């Protein structure tokens, strides 16, 4: 290839000849023949020689050696050339045929890295040594890749082995530094899991590395916090730039819940996430995942998780369709020259192979590979892919990935688009071993067209779904969510048969899918609960405490969480299907049992009171459990604190397994600064020292879950011991105004079901303020249900008959509405504006339309607000 600027090259040649004191005619006439960019190579050659300790010696060596490989590297990739210039001694690898052909292995690189680390003078020096190690082995890989001595799969494996070793070395070095700084004397609890091309041992030169950090589930809170901080330090160690650049760009977005999730979830939490919440694309991503370094027990659990999640007896057609739909969206947004995401690109081959894996992997263990080339070969061996298609796809994958590498080699940028610049395109064609850019574009177009045709043909021929499902779909009208739900089960065909045979069964599942989408995730996890829904047993009476009560303190936390979650799901589903009574009492009963399970009675006599909506027996499906803990004997205070800590710890474990309920002790004396469990004497002293009115207001909702008569007397004394004077009433009403102003935007004041005007809080405050002013007449503290307390204040003559009836109607309406909103996945207790959701709410109240529902709702809340304001006026009088 001729130089583009021969005059510049001639001047450069003269300078080098003066150094070598000999002619370099052969080098400049023939040494650049196989070079993609001769001018760049010539400039980099001079820079490299200038960086060596003895340019003349190296020039003599170069003249006496086959110079093509060195010059090819200097002209192919500026980042690699810069590496050689920074470390001129690395060129000796090129001149040593035995050393240059040595393939990298993780074990060998780790051993070499350990030697380098021992001589490092500081942590920063250690990380610099690791960056040098990457430069050294990257050069060997590029050398054999461009020289054609390694196949493309061998090149990808080499890059991946280097990454595995450097991740392990950085992990150990960072933990040693991190633990020393913090005085930690235990092994690193973090396991690092690789995803994507790293997991498949097919990394690019410029790939991000997709990582997920995982912890064991038995860590204390302190160690969990330290582990999360270590993960941040480890990420910086790998991705921060130093003098030799960075090791790798790190992407953590594949962890459970993505960027919103914890940086290092427990393994149990990961398992629960994939069992319950993972999207189809996340299950597809899990196909290419493997632990890199960390706890060996997590390694085996991860593989079991991958196997059971990705290779189910039956993969839902809806999941396959979701993946294919995502592929179509990616393809539609890709640039024309995107060889990875575009039509007929790298992703088409990977998607095709992975879809076949997901569909057939349960029955054919040999296709559970994470490496694409091996997977394509094994699909052929299993007769799931025709030999000619398999052979072509392997060749096409190697061609496209090789082209991707050549594009990325130029400037070490993570790009997958073929450049438009003619000289750069010509350079890439040369690196591909093709005569010119036109040949490259023609070849690429032919390969992509055939890849896409193969993709369409294979995907179209691979549907494994059978007749009962199709018969159900032909009945007309089934929602997509029902199909997604039933497709989760290995015995889906039998369930579809039940739906076909029973109109009532179809009605039940359609009602649940239409009006309670939030419940469907729970039903998808339990074939037995789904069968209850189909058979009608779900509508029968159900004791919400029975299954939880059958457990004991030694029960596995995951089992406890699953039983509790299924109990809540069953109570809510029965309520929806039967239009039964409010779910609050049943939820509270279930959580009373759960609290006793997580904090069993002990020698301290620890007493447990429910507060807030938990105390009022109107707990919502995702309400926190507001709790007050008391201990009769001050001498048992320390032991009671330990029991309280265990209670909180037990609920943290349950949350890891998907039970989204939190025990909240912030209403205790002194709030978050106070003791978790207060003695009777301590609470009475706190009362005398000046307990605030809002604290007394909160204690007025106290319901004993486990308490003696004296504990109940102490709580009621604190709640009702002071008369509600006008000044104290003003203090409370000002607090309510602040709650409304700070927690509800002005445009939502009439739409918030709990805190808004005419909402549940207005009812609660109306009743409780009357109880505080007239505790004896209202029999304050003797009833817990708001409906019973409304009747009490009515019998005392504190509300008239019409007001009592209106508040009872409003409470029933709002409590029901709050649960319906939850089931429709409307968060924050705010009435939606979406017409479809309003229509579904109307259906729950047997109303004709969303507009009619809004009219009824507005009338109820305006009436409730009016009663609240009128009650305040009477109390102020």
């Amino acid at each position: 290839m001729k130089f583009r600027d021969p005059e510049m090259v001639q001047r450069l040649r003269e300078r080098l000849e003066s150094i070598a004191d000999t002619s370099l005619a052969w080098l400049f006439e023939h040494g650049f023949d196989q070079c993609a960019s001769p001018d760049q190579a010539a400039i980099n050659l001079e820079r490299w020689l200038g960086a060596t300790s003895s340019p003349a010696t190296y020039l003599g060596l170069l003249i006496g050696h086959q110079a093509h490989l060195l010059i090819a590297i200097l002209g192919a990739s500026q980042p690699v050339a810069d590496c050689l210039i920074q470390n001129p001694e690395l060129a000796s690898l090129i001149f040593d045929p035995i050393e240059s052909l040595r393939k990298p292995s993780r074990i060998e690189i780790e051993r070499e890295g350990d030697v380098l680390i021992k001589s490092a003078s500081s942590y920063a020096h250690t990380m610099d040594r690791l960056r040098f190690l990457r430069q050294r082995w990257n050069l060997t890989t590029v050398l054999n890749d461009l020289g054609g001595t390694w196949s493309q799969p061998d090149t990808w494996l080499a890059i991946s082995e280097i990454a595995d070793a450097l991740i392990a070395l950085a992990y150990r070095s960072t933990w040693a530094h991190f633990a020393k700084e913090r005085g930690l004397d235990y092994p690193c609890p973090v396991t690092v899991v690789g995803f994507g091309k790293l997991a498949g041992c097919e990394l690019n030169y410029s790939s991000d590395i997709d990582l997920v950090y995982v912890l064991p589930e038995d860590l204390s809170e302190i160690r969990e916090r330290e582990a999360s901080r270590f993960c941040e330090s480890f990420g910086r160690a790998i991705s921060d730039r130093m003098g030799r650049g960075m090791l790798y760009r790190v992407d953590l977005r594949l962890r459970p819940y993505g960027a919103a999730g914890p940086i290092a979830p427990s393994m149990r939490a990961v398992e629960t996430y994939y069992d319950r919440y993972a999207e189809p694309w996340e299950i597809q991503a899990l196909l290419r995942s493997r632990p890199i370094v960390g706890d060996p027990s997590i390694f085996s659990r991860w593989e079991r998780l991958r196997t059971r999640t990705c290779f189910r007896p039956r993969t839902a057609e809806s999941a396959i369709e979701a993946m294919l739909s995502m592929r179509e969206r990616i393809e539609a947004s890709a640039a024309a020259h995107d060889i990875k995401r575009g039509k007929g690109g790298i992703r088409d081959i990977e998607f095709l192979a992975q879809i076949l894996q997901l569909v057939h992997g349960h029955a054919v263990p040999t296709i559970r590979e994470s490496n694409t080339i091996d997977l394509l070969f094994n699909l052929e061996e299993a007769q799931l892919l025709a030999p000619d298609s398999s052979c072509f796809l392997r060749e096409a994958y190697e061609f496209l990935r090789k082209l991707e590498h050549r594009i990325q080699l130029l400037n070490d940028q993570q790009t997958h688009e073929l450049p438009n610049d003619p000289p750069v395109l010509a350079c890439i064609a040369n690196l591909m071993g093709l005569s010119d850019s036109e040949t490259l574009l023609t070849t690429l177009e032919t390969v992509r067209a055939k890849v896409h045709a193969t993709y369409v043909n294979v995907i179209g021929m691979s549907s494994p779904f059978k007749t009962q499902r199709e018969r159900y779909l032909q009945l007309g009208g089934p929602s997509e969510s029902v199909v997604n739900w039933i497709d989760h089960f290995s015995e889906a065909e039998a369930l579809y048969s039940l739906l076909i045979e029973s109109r009532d069964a179809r009605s039940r599942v359609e009602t649940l899918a239409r009006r309670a989408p939030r419940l469907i995730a729970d039903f998808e996890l339990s074939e037995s609960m789904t069968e209850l829904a189909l058979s009608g047993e779900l509508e029968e009476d159900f004791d919400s405490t029975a299954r939880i009560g059958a457990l004991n303190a030694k029960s596995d936390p995951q089992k406890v969480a699953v039983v509790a979650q299924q109990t809540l799901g069953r109570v809510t589903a029965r309520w929806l299907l039967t239009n039964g009574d409010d779910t609050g009492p049943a939820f509270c009963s279930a959580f009373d049992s759960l609290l006793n399970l997580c904090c069993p009675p002990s020698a301290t006599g620890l007493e447990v009171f429910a507060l807030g909506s938990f105390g009022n027996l109107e707990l919502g499906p995702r309400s926190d459990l507001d709790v007050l803990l008391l201990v009769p004997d001050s001498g048992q205070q320390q032991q009671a604190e330990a029991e309280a800590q265990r209670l909180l710890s037990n609920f943290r474990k349950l949350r890891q397994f998907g039970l989204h309920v939190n025990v909240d002790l912030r209403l205790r004396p002194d709030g978050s600064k106070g003791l978790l469990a207060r003695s009777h004497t301590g609470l009475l002293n706190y009362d005398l020292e000046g307990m605030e009115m809002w604290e007394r207001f909160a204690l007025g909702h106290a319901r004993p879950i486990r308490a003696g008569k004296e504990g109940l007397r102490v709580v009621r004394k604190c709640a009702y011991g002071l008369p509600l004077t006008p000044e104290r009433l003003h203090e409370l009403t000002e607090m309510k105004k602040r709650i409304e102003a700070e927690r509800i935007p002005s445009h939502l004041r009439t739409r918030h079901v709990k805190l808004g005007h005419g909402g549940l809080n207005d009812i609660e405050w109306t009743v409780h303020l009357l109880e505080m002013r007239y505790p004896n007449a209202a029999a304050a503290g003797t009833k817990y249900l708001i409906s019973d307390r409304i009747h009490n204040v009515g019998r005392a003559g504190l509300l008239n008959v019409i007001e009592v009836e209106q508040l009872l109607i409003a409470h029933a309406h709002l409590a029901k509405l709050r649960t319906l909103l939850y089931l429709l996945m409307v968060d924050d207790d705010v009435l939606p504006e979406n017409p479809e959701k309003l229509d579904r709410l109307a259906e729950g109240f047997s109303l004709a339309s969303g507009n009619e529902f809004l009219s009824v709702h507005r009338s109820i809340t305006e009436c409730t607000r009016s009663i609240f304001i009128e009650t305040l006026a009477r109390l102020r009088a």
Side-chain angles (χ1 to χ4, degrees), residues 392-674:
F392 164 70
L393 289 173
R394 294 198 301 272
E395 292 173 353
Y397 194 68
E398 290 193 31
F399 172 81
L400 292 168
R401 290 291 310 283
K402 180 179 180 180
L403 179 56
E404 181 183 39
H405 272 219
R406 298 300 180 261
I407 295 169
Q408 293 183 359
L409 260 180
L410 294 177
N411 294 301
D412 192 26
Q413 293 182 348
Q414 192 187 22
T415 179
H416 317 283
E417 292 185 29
L418 206 59
N420 293 318
D421 186 34
V424 177
L425 202 57
C427 177
I428 292 171
N430 184 283
L431 290 171
M432 289 291 291
L434 299 172
S435 57
D436 52 43
S437 54
E438 185 177 342
T439 303
L440 170 62
L441 293 173
T442 302
T443 305
L444 178 60
E445 184 179 355
T446 301
V447 168
R448 288 180 64 174
K450 190 172 179 182
V451 166
H452 187 67
T454 306
Y455 171 83
V456 171
N457 180 55
V458 173
I459 293 300
M461 296 294 291
S462 64
S463 176
F465 306 102
K466 301 188 184 291
T467 56
Q468 292 296 72
R469 184 181 192 279
E470 293 170 354
R471 284 179 59 205
Y472 171 67
L473 291 171
Q474 289 169 0
L475 292 174
S479 67
E480 181 182 353
S481 53
V482 171
V483 176
N484 292 346
W485 168 9
I486 303 301
D487 278 350
H488 264 77
F489 302 114
S490 57
E491 300 300 322
E493 287 292 285
L495 298 178
Y496 280 122
S497 294
L498 288 173
L499 289 173
I500 292 166
E501 294 165 6
S502 171
R503 184 189 302 272
D504 289 342
R506 291 199 299 276
S507 174
R508 281 188 291 273
V509 298
E510 283 294 334
T511 297
L512 289 169
R514 185 175 65 257
R515 291 175 52 196
R518 199 184 290 269
L519 283 183
I520 301 306
D522 291 329
F523 279 94
E524 288 174 348
L525 292 174
S526 174
E527 194 158 354
S528 62
M529 283 186 68
T530 298
E531 289 170 351
L532 290 177
L534 268 63
S535 68
E537 292 179 65
L538 200 60
E539 298 179 355
E540 297 175 1
D541 287 339
F542 173 68
D543 182 353
S544 62
T545 65
R547 288 191 67 198
I548 297 174
L551 302 170
N552 59 60
K554 294 182 179 179
S555 297
D556 179 67
Q558 184 171 17
K559 181 180 179 182
V560 174
V562 169
V563 168
Q565 189 68 26
Q566 289 183 354
T567 297
L568 299 182
R570 186 166 177 179
V571 168
T572 313
R574 180 181 182 278
W575 171 83
L576 183 69
L577 294 172
T578 62
N579 199 26
D581 296 332
D582 182 28
T583 58
F587 282 166
C588 289
S589 180
F591 282 116
D592 286 355
S593 297
L594 193 61
L595 274 165
N596 280 316
L597 179 67
C598 293
C599 185
S602 70
T604 67
L606 188 69
E607 297 175 328
V608 183
F609 289 85
L611 300 178
S613 57
F614 191 20
N616 292 340
L617 294 171
E618 55 181 19
L619 199 66
R622 280 205 174 177
S623 298
D624 284 346
L625 305 181
D626 290 308
V627 171
L628 173 69
L629 302 177
L630 297 180
V631 59
D633 183 357
S634 300
Q636 299 284 347
Q637 182 74 60
Q638 187 173 359
Q639 189 176 344
E641 282 292 299
E643 290 177 17
Q645 289 286 5
R646 280 197 296 274
L647 169 65
L648 296 176
S649 175
N650 286 336
F651 266 85
R652 277 196 299 271
K653 291 176 183 176
L654 296 181
R655 288 201 303 276
Q656 287 182 341
F657 300 119
L659 185 64
H660 298 290
V661 177
N662 183 47
V663 171
D664 193 338
L665 299 178
R666 287 177 296 176
L667 293 178
R668 67 189 186 270
D670 292 321
S672 58
K673 298 177 182 177

Side-chain angles (χ1 to χ4, degrees), residues 35-80:
C35 185
S37 180
D39 293 62
Q40 179 184 353
I43 293 168
N44 284 328
L45 176 63
E46 184 179 32
R47 291 179 62 213
W48 169 68
L49 286 166
T52 64
S53 56
S54 177
T57 301
Y58 274 98
L59 258 178
L61 184 62
L62 186 62
I63 295 167
H65 186 271
Q66 186 62 272
H68 290 99
L69 276 179
L70 175 60
I71 292 174
I73 289 173
L74 293 173
S77 171
Q78 190 57 50
V80 176

Side-chain angles (χ1 to χ4, degrees), residues 714-742:
V714 168
V715 169
R716 287 179 179 169
K717 181 182 183 303
C718 294
Y720 300 107
L722 285 183
L724 186 63
T725 63
E727 294 78 15
R728 291 168 183 149
L729 174 63
H730 178 73
E731 182 183 336
L732 286 173
T733 54
E734 285 300 304
M735 184 184 74
K736 188 173 192 305
K737 285 180 184 177
R738 287 197 302 275
I739 291 172
E740 291 180 4
E742 293 171 6

Side-chain angles (χ1 to χ4, degrees), residues 36 57 74 105 114 153 211 219 222 271 300 318 440 475 493 498 504 524 550 557 574 617 744 780 793 803:
T57 301
L74 293 173
S105 73
D114 286 335
L211 300 181
L219 287 186
I222 294 174
E271 290 165 336
S300 55
S318 57
L440 170 62
L475 292 174
E493 287 292 285
L498 288 173
D504 289 342
E524 288 174 348
R574 180 181 182 278
L617 294 171
I744 318 172
V793 295
E803 289 172 330

